[in-house]
Amino acid sequence: MKQFIKIWTSIAILSAALYSGLAGAHGKVNLEADACVRNMSGSMIHLSTYQPQHDPEAEYCTEIPKEGETYWVLDLVDQALRDMPIGIKIVRGSGKALSETVTSIYSTNHSDGVIKGYFNLDEGQYTLFVTGEGVPPLHYEYPLRIQMTNYTELLLKAIPYIITFLLIAFITDKLLKRRQLHH
């Protein structure tokens, strides 16, 4: 019986270790490793989106969990971008399936390196284009997914549970077979 308890304790510790290894928040990563950073010709920008009406503390990037009012902040990391006009455009669709422009803004006064606003988008895919009108012009883009299930991310979150279940099933099978052989 002690061996059985040790095995179950080991499985619980292993599953906790696997799960905690996958957990991570968007807000606490290095700028170079952040998925919300775009780098072109040495100029970097960072996009953050928020939906305080749903979760006041959550910060998103391109996977926005609910449709509706979403606040966005574009941080112009490099000084060169702060000195040039910036155009921002949100278009319905992504890739080659772009359709109508939903909204656009033009900013010439952003010496603090921050451009912000909000959009109210329905469920679906969009693309946010950012253009720095310098020489040469700089083009960045962010695919936005509003209230869409990301099955890859869902699968990655489920992997620790699947592994734990399979380990438990395997060990239980071995223990039951060993017990049958002894009787």
Side-chain angles (χ1 to χ4, degrees), residues 81 83-88 105-108 130-139:
L81 287 170
D83 298 330
M84 67 176 72
I86 302 289
I88 300 169
I105 66 166
Y106 189 75
S107 175
T108 56
V130 179
T131 305
E133 297 182 3
V135 177
L138 301 171
H139 302 283

XYZ file of all heavy atoms in Angstrom, residues 81 83-88 105-108 130-139:
154
model
N 10.645 56.275 -34.250
C 9.213 56.167 -34.549
C 8.411 57.300 -33.910
O 7.386 57.710 -34.434
C 8.667 54.828 -34.048
C 9.066 53.603 -34.851
C 8.678 52.335 -34.108
C 8.420 53.628 -36.218
N 9.140 60.296 -33.780
C 9.315 61.538 -34.534
C 8.669 61.496 -35.911
O 8.830 62.430 -36.691
C 10.808 61.853 -34.673
C 11.479 62.072 -33.331
O 10.783 62.536 -32.386
O 12.676 61.775 -33.205
N 7.978 60.425 -36.256
C 7.364 60.349 -37.586
C 5.858 60.122 -37.475
O 5.386 59.582 -36.484
C 8.011 59.245 -38.430
C 7.770 57.837 -37.961
S 8.468 56.564 -39.053
C 10.207 56.718 -38.765
N 5.117 60.544 -38.485
C 3.670 60.278 -38.501
C 3.415 58.769 -38.550
O 4.129 58.024 -39.211
C 3.182 60.955 -39.786
C 4.254 61.913 -40.148
C 5.536 61.344 -39.632
N 2.387 58.326 -37.834
C 2.026 56.917 -37.757
C 0.571 56.767 -38.190
O -0.318 57.456 -37.687
C 2.179 56.375 -36.312
C 3.601 56.563 -35.798
C 1.728 54.920 -36.224
C 4.642 55.680 -36.415
N 0.336 55.857 -39.120
C -1.018 55.519 -39.543
C -1.397 54.154 -38.997
O -0.599 53.218 -39.037
N -2.604 54.049 -38.471
C -3.103 52.793 -37.925
C -4.437 52.488 -38.598
O -5.308 53.352 -38.685
C -3.275 52.879 -36.395
C -1.918 53.180 -35.751
C -3.879 51.597 -35.828
C -1.993 53.542 -34.300
N -6.800 55.601 -37.944
C -6.422 56.864 -37.310
C -5.049 57.266 -37.842
O -4.289 56.431 -38.353
C -6.393 56.788 -35.771
C -5.281 55.856 -35.280
C -7.710 56.364 -35.197
C -5.005 56.028 -33.800
N -4.769 58.514 -37.693
C -3.486 59.058 -38.125
C -2.946 59.878 -36.975
O -3.631 60.763 -36.456
C -3.689 59.923 -39.379
C -2.428 60.366 -40.044
C -1.678 59.472 -40.789
C -1.996 61.678 -39.930
C -0.511 59.883 -41.414
C -0.834 62.098 -40.547
C -0.094 61.191 -41.295
O 1.063 61.582 -41.908
N -1.738 59.589 -36.540
C -1.176 60.268 -35.378
C 0.120 60.970 -35.757
O 1.024 60.361 -36.324
C -0.903 59.259 -34.261
O -0.262 59.885 -33.180
N 0.214 62.245 -35.434
C 1.451 62.983 -35.668
C 2.060 63.467 -34.357
O 3.210 63.857 -34.330
C 1.209 64.210 -36.573
O 0.198 65.022 -35.983
C 0.794 63.772 -37.959
N 0.027 48.956 -38.896
C 0.684 50.156 -38.376
C 1.740 50.555 -39.402
O 2.580 49.741 -39.781
C 1.355 49.893 -37.007
C 2.039 51.147 -36.497
C 0.343 49.365 -35.996
N 1.687 51.807 -39.847
C 2.646 52.295 -40.840
C 3.353 53.524 -40.299
O 2.707 54.523 -39.957
C 1.932 52.649 -42.163
O 1.202 51.505 -42.615
C 2.923 53.071 -43.222
N 4.668 53.420 -40.198
C 5.487 54.572 -39.837
C 5.919 55.246 -41.124
O 6.580 54.644 -41.963
N 5.530 56.500 -41.304
C 5.761 57.193 -42.570
C 7.120 57.873 -42.587
O 7.234 59.082 -42.699
C 4.620 58.172 -42.829
C 3.298 57.451 -42.991
C 2.152 58.377 -43.306
O 2.369 59.598 -43.462
O 1.031 57.875 -43.401
N 8.159 57.050 -42.495
C 9.523 57.556 -42.569
C 10.139 57.183 -43.906
O 9.459 56.763 -44.829
N 11.438 57.331 -43.993
C 12.167 56.947 -45.204
C 13.176 55.893 -44.792
O 14.140 56.208 -44.101
C 12.871 58.156 -45.842
C 13.674 57.733 -47.055
C 11.860 59.231 -46.201
N 12.995 54.663 -45.146
C 11.836 54.092 -45.842
C 10.665 53.929 -44.874
O 10.856 53.887 -43.663
C 12.355 52.726 -46.301
C 13.341 52.328 -45.257
C 13.981 53.620 -44.805
N 9.451 53.791 -45.407
C 8.285 53.585 -44.539
C 8.399 52.224 -43.826
O 8.957 51.282 -44.372
C 7.095 53.613 -45.490
C 7.631 53.711 -46.855
C 9.104 53.884 -46.800
N 7.885 52.174 -42.618
C 7.907 50.941 -41.832
C 6.487 50.395 -41.726
O 5.560 51.137 -41.404
C 8.476 51.213 -40.441
C 9.898 51.789 -40.414
C 10.267 52.223 -39.005
C 10.891 50.770 -40.931
N 6.326 49.103 -42.013
C 5.000 48.470 -41.999
C 5.002 47.315 -41.002
O 5.840 46.424 -41.091
C 4.619 47.950 -43.383
C 4.602 49.000 -44.437
N 3.572 49.904 -44.558
C 5.491 49.307 -45.398
C 3.846 50.715 -45.568
N 5.009 50.381 -46.094
